[in-house]
Amino acid sequence: MKKKIIFAMLCVVAAAMMLSMMIFTPQKKVQYIQNDEDIMGTISLSDTQKTEKDTYEFTVDGSKAEQFRTRYIVIQLDEIVRDIAQIQIYVDEGQGYQLQGKKNISILEGEQYGYAVLDMDSYRGLRIQADYQYAIATIEFHTNAPQMEVTSVTPFKPLLILGMGALVVVFFLAFFLQGRFDVLGRMKESFITVWNRRKNIFTQLMKLAIRIGLAGFVAYLISIGIHYARYGAWSCHTLMYIWTFAGILVILIFMMNRKQIEAYINRVVFLLIITIGGALIVATPASHKAWDIDSHYRWALIDSYLGRANLTQADLAVIHAYDESLVGDNPQEYQVKEEILNKDYQYVIANDYGIITLPHMLAGMMMAVVRFFGGSFTAIFHAGEWGNLILYAILCYLAMKRLKSGKMILAVVALFPTNLMIAANYSYDYWILGFSMVGFAYFLGNCQEKGTTITTKDTVIMVGALALACIPKEIYIMFLLVPFLMPKSKIENKKKYYSICLAGFGVLLFMLLVRSLATTGGTGDVRGGAVMPADQIQYIFHNMKEYAQTLTLFLKDYLDLLSVKDYTVNFAYYGVATRLVHVIPVLIIYTAITDKQPCDSYETSVLTRIYAIVMYVATAALIATALYITYTPVAELEILGCQPRYLIPLIYPLAAMTGSSKIASRMDKGVYYYGVTIVSTLILYGSIYDVVIRSMVS
Amino acid sequence: MKKRVIYSIICMLVAGFCLAAMLTTPLKYAEYVHNDQDVVASYQADEAVKKTDTTLLYHIEQSASDYVTIKLTESMGTPIFIKVFLYEEDLENSVERFNLAVPAGQEYVSLNLTGYHYQNIELDLMQGVNLVDNMEYHAQDTQIIETSPTPSKARVLVAFLLVIAVGAGVFLVDWKFHVLDRIHWRKPDFKKVLKGVIWFAGITVVALILELAIAFLCRKLSDAVLLFNYSRFFFIEALLLIVYLFIKNKSQIVNKVEHVVFWLIMIIGMAMILILPPKHDSWDVDSHYQWALDASSLGKNYMSETDFNFYYVYSDTFAREDRQTNIADQARMNREYKYIADVYYGEISISHIPAGLGIAITRFLRFPFMIIYKAGEVMNLILYAVLCYFAVKKLKSGKMILATIAMFPTSLLMASSYSYDYWVTGFALLGMAYFIGNCQRKDEYISTKDTIIMVAAFALACIPKQVYIMFMLIPFFMPRNKIENKKKYYAICASGFVFLLISLGLRSAGSIGGTGDTRGGAVNPKDQILYILSDIPNYARIMTEFLLGYFSLGTVAEYTTNFAYLGLQEYGVSIIIILLIVVTVTDKEACDEHVAKWYTRVYMILMFICTSVLMASAMYIAFTPVGLNQINGCQPRYLVPLLYPLLAVIGSGKITNKMNRVVYNYAVLGIMSAVVMYGVYDTMLVRMM
């Protein structure tokens, strides 16, 4: 009982710390106090020139220049804001409108005024990007800095109550876990083991530290050499250094595990993901570099505040995909953008409410920790990315560990450059991929074990992982039928097994139906144009033949082998790495054929293979149909918005389940593992350098 | 002795028949007898609208008669070719076209326009419209004096001597080596042959019934007038024959898979040949058809107006989109294959001899042009199928790797057309199969016969394109324990290599001094070489960029499912890529374990890259304008002969395939057949529907 209480209390303390970081924020809230007495000059929109929709330019006239010689600008809207109005101001200092010096103004609910403090008081012109919902009444030029009321952000009371409730749940859960699994005892045992081997561990850690230190030094020398070779000057470019350092660490990983690569392959792949993915995070700026960062960052931010986010201007810039949050063209631009974002991350200016989403929880927690300790916007942004990457690496490690054979098929898919890009960013695709790999690995791993039956724990993990994978995109629901293909000889208690499988499938089916009904009744994705889900469904039902033709034509290209570049070496807004792209399909087919062992003969029946192919094609068809309904204008003869990356989670089950166990390989396993992981790593490392790093190193 | 004499006489008779066919032609000289008395209307050249330097347009309100004569300003030393287009009011779409030739030394050419309605006549002269004097309408048809060419005594004598030489050669070779005694003559199984013929006839009848049923249905559905479509009939028959082949050879699909591969190539190739009329469907048919014509005659060649259509790549030699135009083109080609337009002396190239023989024999038997043209293609196809048959037969393992490459749609198209690529690919497959096959036979030495076949096959493969000379080094990688008499073995290998090296040296020297390929633009081989030498790093960069694209999977479609001028069939390429990887990895048996040493593999990779570099460099020198930062004219299909040597050794011998071989071979050949036949449907048959 004593142990149980101690463990439960420890857990409560840890949870309380975490919740505190998520509920409390060190940031301040600011409110502008209106002051009409120091107005130097005023203009209205009639004094400006409209250059494009919602964009106005005001040129400072020579005779009246004096009344506009100020840094303090206040914008007045012609009505009180209902939610939030966003205005962006670009300044022309004589060299045209530049990103440098750009200011964002947010006018909050119930207010009519917003202010900006420019970097300089002398300029040739202003470009004002107005909010499309609210018209600007006047632009005031003030003598003095605006008066602001700065207050601390008070925690949201319902969240405090919720947090308390959560702590109670944690207490009882920990109490139960300690009683059931003796976690404390196990921790103690582990600690004793570590303590007994402390000298050895210390020596190993020292060796590792020295190696990493040496690697850092060598990387420094190499990057200096590269810089000299390219520019003729002895200097070290930070990004080049980071990438070279990552490269040497990768070599170190391979060298340190060379003797027992067969045994350590899971660890090697884990370390490769962390090293290269980590370098990618550190090297790339906090920007809109992958797909839909705006939405995913917002969800992560909401998670980091447990549902009620405190927004700064920098957060709004990312959520609304402003210029400063987009991928830049050169290193200077990156620097300017980072400065703008970090400056704008000063005051909380608004709140955003949302539902907590599971795939973004770890990113949110990491953000909360760094924010609590006063990290800059960039640091917080990257912390969230680290959260996703670590979870992805852990999931890949667990999946590989569960397999007896076919580890290389999984490693090749896990190391697709696009997958690393997604995992090192804000997204839920990494979640789908990671959990689906765990689920399939548990399915295949159990099939590969001769003479054993699947345990309840494994069943729960398999179904749970597949269900978790499907939660963000229920369209992958066919994953949840895979457990039903488990050979009967593997199931001890059929009733229990199928109940667990059915429970997972039922929950997901229900969720899919709810979402489908909600989508059908909705307006669809406005980015698609004249979208109308209900009408589109009617069109499909009335024109089945035409739609079948449209879908077939689409799938021919979508599933084409040569389309792999769009979901394997695609770095979203950085571009596509095409140089080595064609090695990937060869490698995936090669491993699908050769990464087999005798244990695979117990694995898959013809039915499983057929199902893997049907699942691949049918899910692709489902995804395409979903986007035809929600993203494509009614009766269009093509399908819009269906991105090739949606196929990624389907590649591993297809490759792992369709190969034949009748292909026996007598190749040296170590050499084989080395060969495949090295080729995969080279493609990954080279592609990132080719597309991402080179674009940022002038 | 008696047998020897009989066979020598039979060979002499066959050679005599072939040479007789090569000496004679059904084409006739035509002399237009001009009659000034019956001219009913005359249009001077300056009355016509000069559309371009080569085009004149006459507007004819009311044609005075049906008999037209075109007069040149003077008789020329070379033949003058005139394309005549008849138009009504619409000057975009001609009612009919004619290809005429004014033979060297003549001034007139005539045309019978009975039955045609037109308001405009357009004359298109490649040599320029200034050569036209006038166009006359005559009351009566022009009289033409026809004379048949007679072979010169010297050519007859040479032919006679060749026949004697063939007979003597056969006699002496057999006398020395007793070849006839060594051949295990098998009595033909007439019952089996008869059974095969009956099956074939039965399938033909079924195909005919199916075609008629489809035609009937089509007529019901769309009121089409057409009833029977011979192209569709050939396609259906090919499909049925493939199904029959697979069913019939169930027991032989593993042990005698070469039979199946041979017949698949023949069936699909014949479908490709028969579905479309004679067309410029593959690359450089103009040159290759002319070389085949050269090989069809013994020295002196006679060319008809139709032959010239192909040589000058006239638009009507390309496949059209609709059946009616294709049929009309075919009818015109047959019609215009009548008079000699030009006489010239050509050289015989070895790779065009089979096609030349096909042309010569059918021409000798007075077949129409369509048959003559197709006969040349059929001969190429037969040779390719035979080479693939022997190559597959020689292998103990890896037969499906070879079969997959041999059945690339592009390879089959080239084998069913005028080309020498089929020759290069076929002999390279044979040579490599003899190399691999001998390596796979444990504890056996390579025989002198096999050595000669292997080296000769590689040498023959290289003759049309000496740039593949690295093939000749492959025999040197034969494991030492396979060679009994090293001196003899290496002497044979070295002789083949040296012969090709000299040949390559001579051709290179000739090319450098020449003007290069004018199709490339401002080409100058000498300057290009100087440019390369002056900036080698830049050239290395150009080459690397080129090779990255050239070797990428994105280019595979260009040499696997590319139907040349008929279109690129992209949908099958993914299947072919997957299949190639699968067979390369899995088509292995225990005998493959020691086939390729590491250095052999390294050499094959190097050969693949270096030969590509050589080809690209050759094209950069001979086809690319000087100083250009890209390489022009280096077509992906040049990679096909290099694929099998690479894929045959690159897979690991440590892979054992325990799959059911019947299913495996069926799957590979079935998939390839389906991909090719879909390509045939999509690129050829649709043009004839």
Side-chain angles (χ1 to χ4, degrees):
Chain A
M1 177 62 88
K2 193 180 166 189
K3 270 187 180 177
K4 285 182 191 172
I5 292 171
I6 291 171
F7 180 68
M9 287 311 292
L10 281 174
C11 290
V12 165
V13 169
M17 281 168 68
M18 191 65 240
L19 287 170
S20 305
M21 290 178 198
M22 296 171 95
I23 294 170
F24 297 97
T25 175
Q27 287 166 297
K28 304 284 181 196
K29 202 170 180 176
V30 65
Q31 193 171 13
Y32 169 67
I33 300 166
Q34 191 186 337
N35 176 18
D36 295 338
E37 289 170 5
D38 63 344
I39 296 175
M40 296 163 64
T42 306
I43 58 167
S44 65
L45 285 187
S46 57
D47 301 318
T48 64
Q49 188 187 354
K50 187 173 183 178
T51 53
E52 54 187 275
K53 195 186 173 208
D54 301 322
T55 303
Y56 305 89
E57 284 184 8
F58 168 64
T59 310
V60 177
D61 188 80
S63 58
K64 296 177 183 175
E66 278 306 312
Q67 58 180 303
F68 305 114
R69 197 177 286 280
T70 177
R71 295 166 60 198
Y72 311 114
I73 293 174
V74 172
I75 303 249
Q76 184 192 359
L77 301 181
D78 66 356
E79 60 178 310
I80 292 171
V81 172
R82 294 177 296 279
D83 39 23
I84 187 167
Q86 294 282 309
I87 296 156
Q88 299 166 70
I89 299 180
Y90 293 84
V91 185
D92 177 8
E93 292 179 67
Q95 295 167 327
Y97 292 103
Q98 308 277 333
L99 188 65
Q100 195 156 20
K102 182 204 167 195
K103 298 291 165 191
N104 297 311
I105 299 174
S106 295
I107 306 172
L108 308 179
E109 186 184 352
E111 295 179 4
Q112 203 173 352
Y113 292 91
Y115 71 91
V117 180
L118 303 181
D119 291 345
M120 69 297 291
D121 57 10
S122 177
Y123 41 85
R124 277 180 60 182
L126 298 176
R127 176 189 285 166
I128 297 148
Q129 175 87 50
D131 191 300
Y132 70 99
Q133 289 186 79
Y134 301 97
I136 293 173
T138 57
I139 303 160
E140 300 167 1
F141 297 82
H142 289 248
T143 316
N144 303 317
Q147 291 176 26
M148 288 172 285
E149 189 187 354
V150 179
T151 52
S152 294
V153 178
T154 49
F156 191 45
K157 277 177 189 162
L159 273 184
L160 286 173
I161 298 163
L162 199 75
M164 297 297 278
L167 289 179
V168 174
V169 173
V170 167
F171 180 86
F172 284 108
L173 197 67
F175 193 85
F176 167 76
L177 285 174
Q178 174 61 27
R180 179 81 196 235
F181 302 109
D182 189 21
V183 184
L184 212 58
R186 290 185 189 194
M187 282 167 71
K188 192 180 168 187
E189 275 175 33
S190 303
F191 179 77
I192 291 166
T193 314
V194 171
W195 182 253
N196 291 340
R197 294 178 57 207
R198 62 187 181 280
K199 281 186 183 169
N200 189 20
I201 290 170
F202 180 74
T203 317
Q204 292 295 327
L205 284 175
M206 283 309 290
K207 275 186 187 173
L208 186 66
I210 291 167
R211 282 171 179 162
I212 292 174
L214 273 173
F217 181 66
V218 173
Y220 181 69
L221 294 179
I222 292 174
S223 45
I224 284 178
I226 292 171
H227 197 275
Y228 183 76
R230 292 180 70 173
Y231 308 109
W234 295 107
S235 178
C236 177
H237 197 293
T238 316
L239 283 182
M240 190 53 84
Y241 174 71
I242 292 168
W243 204 241
T244 314
F245 186 36
I248 294 172
L249 285 182
V250 166
I251 296 169
L252 208 61
I253 292 166
F254 278 113
M255 282 175 67
M256 285 170 64
N257 294 285
R258 69 187 181 283
K259 286 178 185 163
Q260 286 176 296
I261 186 89
E262 211 178 318
Y264 293 152
I265 189 67
N266 314 331
R267 194 169 75 178
V268 168
V269 172
F270 173 84
L271 289 172
L272 286 173
I273 292 173
I274 291 290
T275 310
I276 300 179
L280 187 62
I281 291 173
V282 178
T284 51
S287 65
H288 208 111
K289 52 203 173 189
W291 297 278
D292 305 331
I293 292 283
D294 43 355
S295 313
H296 292 290
Y297 176 76
R298 178 176 168 264
W299 287 326
L301 196 67
I302 286 170
D303 278 11
S304 80
Y305 282 109
L306 286 177
R308 181 186 180 263
N310 296 315
L311 298 179
T312 64
Q313 190 59 60
D315 298 320
L316 282 169
V318 176
I319 292 167
H320 292 285
Y322 285 175
D323 276 355
E324 57 269 33
S325 73
L326 302 182
V327 166
D329 292 329
N330 54 62
Q332 290 75 27
E333 200 180 324
Y334 279 113
Q335 208 176 343
V336 169
K337 288 181 172 185
E338 194 169 310
E339 278 171 16
I340 294 174
L341 287 170
N342 281 329
K343 265 187 197 170
D344 282 349
Y345 191 75
Q346 197 177 358
Y347 297 116
V348 172
I349 55 168
N351 292 112
D352 191 9
Y353 298 86
I355 296 167
I356 292 171
T357 54
L358 264 182
H360 302 91
M361 184 45 93
L362 198 62
M365 285 163 76
M366 296 289 280
M367 288 166 84
V369 172
V370 179
R371 184 176 59 224
F372 189 80
F373 290 107
S376 67
F377 175 78
T378 315
I380 296 168
F381 192 93
H382 287 326
E385 294 176 329
W386 272 105
N388 291 345
L389 181 72
I390 291 167
L391 181 58
Y392 178 70
I394 291 171
L395 291 173
C396 292
Y397 173 83
L398 292 175
M400 281 186 74
K401 197 178 168 195
R402 188 65 191 84
L403 290 170
K404 284 175 78 72
S405 160
K407 287 173 190 271
M408 283 302 99
I409 306 173
L410 198 143
V412 170
V413 177
L415 291 170
F416 279 175
T418 302
N419 290 351
L420 255 281
M421 178 73 181
I422 289 170
N425 260 297
Y426 290 94
S427 153
Y428 49 40
D429 290 355
Y430 85 94
W431 173 280
I432 299 169
L433 179 65
F435 276 105
S436 67
M437 287 201 294
V438 171
F440 290 121
Y442 268 74
F443 173 78
L444 293 171
N446 274 289
C447 291
Q448 287 163 350
E449 280 168 5
K450 196 182 178 185
T452 59
T453 50
I454 185 167
T455 61
T456 307
K457 182 186 130 198
D458 275 11
T459 311
V460 171
I461 292 175
M462 173 177 67
V463 176
L466 291 173
L468 281 170
C470 296
I471 282 177
K473 290 183 181 172
E474 292 98 348
I475 203 96
Y476 294 109
I477 192 166
M478 284 182 83
F479 285 171
L480 279 155
L481 291 179
V482 171
F484 290 96
L485 299 170
M486 179 68 72
K488 300 224 163 173
S489 60
K490 290 271 156 199
I491 309 167
E492 197 180 8
N493 183 341
K494 290 188 175 53
K495 202 173 163 186
K496 195 174 177 184
Y497 178 82
Y498 288 118
S499 301
I500 297 169
C501 299
L502 270 174
F505 184 71
V507 169
L508 253 294
L509 196 65
F510 177 74
M511 283 173 73
L512 177 65
L513 284 173
V514 170
R515 186 180 283 200
S516 302
L517 286 172
T519 312
T520 313
T523 54
D525 195 323
V526 287
R527 290 174 298 178
V531 177
M532 187 53 71
D535 290 357
Q536 190 76 299
I537 291 171
Q538 270 197 341
Y539 168 79
I540 293 173
F541 279 122
H542 287 117
N543 303 276
M544 294 289 256
K545 198 179 154 194
E546 282 79 5
Y547 180 65
Q549 221 166 11
T550 306
L551 186 65
T552 312
L553 278 177
F554 173 79
L555 289 180
K556 269 183 178 174
D557 286 335
Y558 195 56
L559 303 179
D560 191 282
L561 187 71
L562 298 178
S563 302
V564 289
K565 68 174 189 308
D566 296 325
Y567 57 85
T568 55
V569 286
N570 193 342
F571 290 93
Y573 300 110
Y574 281 108
V576 179
T578 49
R579 281 176 201 271
L580 295 169
V581 58
H582 294 119
V583 184
I584 291 178
V586 176
L587 197 64
I588 191 82
I589 298 169
Y590 177 75
T591 49
I593 298 166
T594 56
D595 196 7
K596 298 286 168 191
Q597 284 181 22
C599 62
D600 286 304
S601 57
Y602 327 123
E603 178 193 306
T604 45
S605 60
V606 177
L607 186 70
T608 314
R609 281 182 208 157
I610 293 171
Y611 183 75
I613 297 165
V614 170
M615 183 172 76
Y616 180 70
V617 179
T619 306
L622 273 175
I623 295 170
T625 305
L627 284 157
Y628 189 68
I629 293 169
T630 58
Y631 200 94
T632 310
V634 177
E636 194 83 16
L637 288 178
E638 59 180 327
I639 295 168
L640 305 179
C642 193
Q643 295 193 36
R645 69 189 153 99
Y646 303 151
L647 286 178
I648 298 173
L650 300 166
I651 300 293
Y652 173 65
L654 181 74
M657 283 152 72
T658 48
S660 170
S661 59
K662 289 182 179 168
I663 306 295
S665 169
R666 299 188 303 281
M667 282 187 268
D668 181 273
K669 213 73 185 162
V671 175
Y672 180 74
Y673 281 3
Y674 244 121
V676 173
T677 36
I678 285 176
V679 172
S680 281
T681 310
L682 278 176
I683 295 168
L684 173 64
Y685 188 81
S687 303
I688 295 175
Y689 174 76
D690 198 28
V691 175
V692 182
I693 305 297
R694 271 211 324 201
S695 73
M696 295 192 293
V697 181
S698 60
Chain B
M1 176 60 91
K2 193 181 164 189
K3 198 157 78 176
R4 194 173 295 149
V5 171
I6 291 170
Y7 277 101
S8 300
I9 291 170
I10 291 172
C11 289
M12 283 171 72
L13 285 174
V14 172
F17 176 73
C18 292
L19 286 164
M22 292 169 86
L23 280 174
T24 57
T25 176
L27 299 176
K28 291 186 168 58
Y29 288 113
E31 190 184 339
Y32 299 88
V33 181
H34 189 248
N35 179 9
D36 290 339
Q37 306 299 316
D38 66 342
V39 175
V40 289
S42 177
Y43 295 88
Q44 294 301 312
D46 51 15
E47 292 177 50
V49 180
K50 189 178 173 183
K51 285 170 74 179
T52 63
D53 286 346
T54 60
T55 318
L56 274 183
L57 182 71
Y58 287 97
H59 180 66
I60 312 292
E61 277 298 332
Q62 180 73 46
S63 59
S65 75
D66 290 332
Y67 312 112
V68 176
T69 299
I70 298 162
K71 183 177 180 288
L72 300 185
T73 49
E74 58 180 325
S75 61
M76 308 299 287
T78 54
I80 303 300
F81 299 97
I82 307 171
K83 282 184 270 183
V84 180
F85 297 90
L86 302 184
Y87 296 101
E88 289 190 335
E89 278 184 16
D90 176 14
L91 293 175
E92 293 295 319
N93 301 302
S94 63
V95 178
E96 183 56 286
R97 64 172 285 172
F98 302 88
N99 299 299
L100 305 174
V102 188
Q106 293 192 34
E107 278 179 77
Y108 296 95
V109 68
S110 69
L111 191 60
N112 186 341
L113 297 181
T114 307
Y116 294 106
H117 296 283
Y118 58 91
Q119 289 175 14
N120 297 283
I121 296 184
E122 187 180 285
L123 306 183
D124 189 341
L125 283 85
M126 197 181 296
Q127 290 96 331
V129 291
N130 293 337
L131 294 173
V132 177
D133 184 47
N134 67 21
M135 189 175 75
E136 296 168 350
Y137 278 87
H138 290 254
Q140 290 175 334
D141 200 359
T142 315
Q143 190 190 347
I144 297 171
I145 300 170
E146 295 177 353
T147 47
S148 293
T150 47
S152 69
K153 283 175 187 169
R155 290 170 69 217
V156 174
L157 184 66
V158 169
F160 180 73
L161 289 174
L162 278 173
V163 171
I164 300 292
V166 168
V170 170
F171 187 88
L172 288 173
V173 167
D174 190 53
W175 182 59
K176 176 79 180 167
F177 299 108
H178 303 283
V179 179
L180 292 170
D181 293 337
R182 285 194 216 171
I183 298 172
H184 302 292
W185 298 99
R186 271 193 303 179
K187 202 178 165 188
D189 186 351
F190 288 112
K191 209 172 163 186
K192 203 175 165 185
V193 173
L194 187 68
K195 206 174 155 189
V197 170
I198 291 169
W199 267 105
F200 180 74
I203 287 168
T204 307
V205 171
V206 174
L208 197 66
I209 293 167
L210 278 173
E211 163 52 28
L212 287 171
I214 293 169
F216 182 73
L217 265 176
C218 289
R219 201 168 73 154
K220 278 276 178 197
L221 291 173
S222 63
D223 293 331
V225 181
L226 191 72
L227 192 64
F228 182 81
N229 183 331
Y230 76 83
S231 301
R232 196 166 50 203
F233 161 71
F234 285 131
F235 185 78
I236 294 168
E237 171 136 31
L239 285 179
L240 293 176
L241 283 172
I242 291 170
V243 173
Y244 167 72
L245 186 70
F246 279 136
I247 295 168
K248 183 181 168 279
N249 287 288
K250 194 184 169 191
S251 57
Q252 296 186 322
I253 195 86
V254 178
N255 296 329
K256 291 192 174 175
V257 71
E258 57 271 14
H259 288 276
V260 182
V261 173
F262 173 83
W263 284 113
L264 277 176
I265 292 174
M266 284 303 297
I267 293 167
I268 298 170
M270 285 304 291
M272 285 179 170
I273 291 171
L274 294 173
I275 284 173
L276 279 178
K279 288 293 173 192
H280 200 117
D281 47 7
S282 185
W283 295 277
D284 306 330
V285 165
D286 46 346
S287 312
H288 291 291
Y289 176 65
Q290 202 210 352
W291 287 329
L293 275 184
D294 293 352
S296 76
S297 304
L298 205 62
K300 193 174 184 181
N301 296 289
Y302 303 99
M303 220 176 220
S304 70
E305 287 159 0
T306 302
D307 296 327
F308 261 95
N309 277 0
F310 277 91
Y311 183 62
Y312 282 117
V313 203
Y314 281 177
S315 61
D316 57 342
T317 62
F318 285 95
R320 313 299 187 94
E321 295 301 318
D322 64 298
R323 176 183 160 80
Q324 276 72 24
T325 322
N326 281 320
I327 296 283
D329 286 344
Q330 178 176 304
R332 186 171 50 253
M333 286 175 194
N334 283 335
R335 195 174 61 225
E336 290 171 353
Y337 190 73
K338 191 173 179 185
Y339 295 127
I340 296 168
D342 196 13
V343 179
Y344 70 100
Y345 294 87
E347 289 174 9
I348 293 177
S349 78
I350 190 168
S351 52
H352 295 90
I353 287 177
L357 269 179
I359 291 173
I361 291 167
T362 43
R363 190 175 57 204
F364 184 67
L365 297 172
R366 300 293 190 270
F367 280 108
F369 173 76
M370 190 198 87
I371 304 284
I372 296 170
Y373 187 90
K374 300 283 179 194
E377 294 180 327
V378 171
M379 291 297 281
N380 287 349
L381 179 68
I382 291 172
L383 179 61
Y384 181 70
V386 168
L387 291 172
C388 293
Y389 171 86
F390 284 111
V392 175
K393 194 179 176 189
K394 188 65 191 168
L395 292 170
K396 279 176 78 74
S397 157
K399 289 172 190 265
M400 287 302 106
I401 304 175
L402 195 146
T404 306
I405 294 169
M407 287 180 67
F408 280 169
T410 306
S411 302
L412 288 180
L413 177 80
M414 287 192 291
S416 314
S417 190
Y418 287 94
S419 145
Y420 50 39
D421 292 52
Y422 85 94
W423 174 282
V424 179
T425 307
F427 277 107
L429 289 177
L430 184 70
M432 194 62 200
Y434 266 73
F435 176 81
I436 297 283
N438 274 289
C439 291
Q440 287 168 338
R441 284 169 172 76
K442 209 178 172 188
D443 303 329
E444 272 182 42
Y445 292 119
I446 181 168
S447 66
T448 307
K449 183 186 119 196
D450 276 10
T451 310
I452 291 172
I453 292 175
M454 175 177 64
V455 175
F458 280 135
L460 283 167
C462 295
I463 283 177
K465 292 184 180 174
Q466 287 107 334
V467 81
Y468 292 109
I469 192 166
M470 286 180 82
F471 281 159
M472 298 304 301
L473 293 177
I474 294 174
F476 291 96
F477 287 88
M478 180 66 69
R480 298 225 160 182
N481 57 3
K482 289 270 155 201
I483 309 167
E484 192 178 19
N485 184 339
K486 292 190 173 51
K487 205 173 161 186
K488 194 173 173 185
Y489 178 83
Y490 289 119
I492 296 169
C493 300
S495 60
F497 181 68
V498 171
F499 167 71
L500 254 293
L501 202 62
I502 294 169
S503 176
L504 177 65
L506 288 175
R507 185 180 282 196
S508 302
S511 301
I512 292 165
T515 53
D517 194 324
T518 48
R519 289 175 298 178
V523 176
N524 188 327
K526 209 173 162 184
D527 289 357
Q528 190 76 300
I529 290 171
L530 285 175
Y531 171 76
I532 292 171
L533 294 176
S534 67
D535 194 355
I536 290 174
N538 184 42
Y539 182 64
R541 190 187 53 78
I542 294 170
M543 181 59 73
T544 311
E545 295 228 332
F546 171 78
L547 290 181
L548 278 173
Y550 200 54
F551 293 154
S552 76
L553 285 191
T555 315
V556 176
E558 300 282 341
Y559 57 85
T560 55
T561 53
N562 194 346
F563 284 79
Y565 300 116
L566 302 174
L568 190 68
Q569 226 296 314
E570 284 179 337
Y571 291 131
V573 69
S574 296
I575 298 170
I576 289 183
I577 293 171
I578 294 170
L579 196 64
L580 260 186
I581 300 170
V582 170
V583 291
T584 303
V585 177
T586 62
D587 196 7
K588 299 285 172 193
E589 284 182 22
C591 61
D592 285 305
E593 189 153 8
H594 305 293
V595 163
K597 305 275 183 213
W598 67 268
Y599 49 81
T600 313
R601 285 185 194 164
V602 170
Y603 178 73
M604 294 303 172
I605 296 168
L606 276 178
M607 184 178 81
F608 190 80
I609 297 168
C610 293
T611 306
S612 304
V613 170
L614 274 175
M615 291 188 296
S617 297
M619 285 297 167
Y620 191 67
I621 292 167
F623 201 92
T624 310
V626 177
L628 201 68
N629 274 335
Q630 65 181 61
I631 296 168
N632 292 344
C634 192
Q635 297 194 34
R637 68 190 155 99
Y638 302 154
L639 286 177
V640 176
L642 298 167
L643 269 185
Y644 178 64
L646 179 72
L647 299 186
V649 301
I650 202 78
S652 170
K654 289 181 178 171
I655 299 279
T656 311
N657 185 348
K658 292 180 205 153
M659 288 165 85
N660 183 335
R661 277 282 165 179
V662 174
V663 177
Y664 185 80
N665 288 3
Y666 261 130
V668 174
L669 295 176
I671 289 169
M672 280 312 292
S673 304
V675 169
V676 189
M677 287 307 284
Y678 180 72
V680 171
Y681 164 79
D682 202 37
T683 57
M684 295 180 171
L685 188 61
V686 288
R687 293 168 195 268
M688 295 299 286
M689 299 280 266

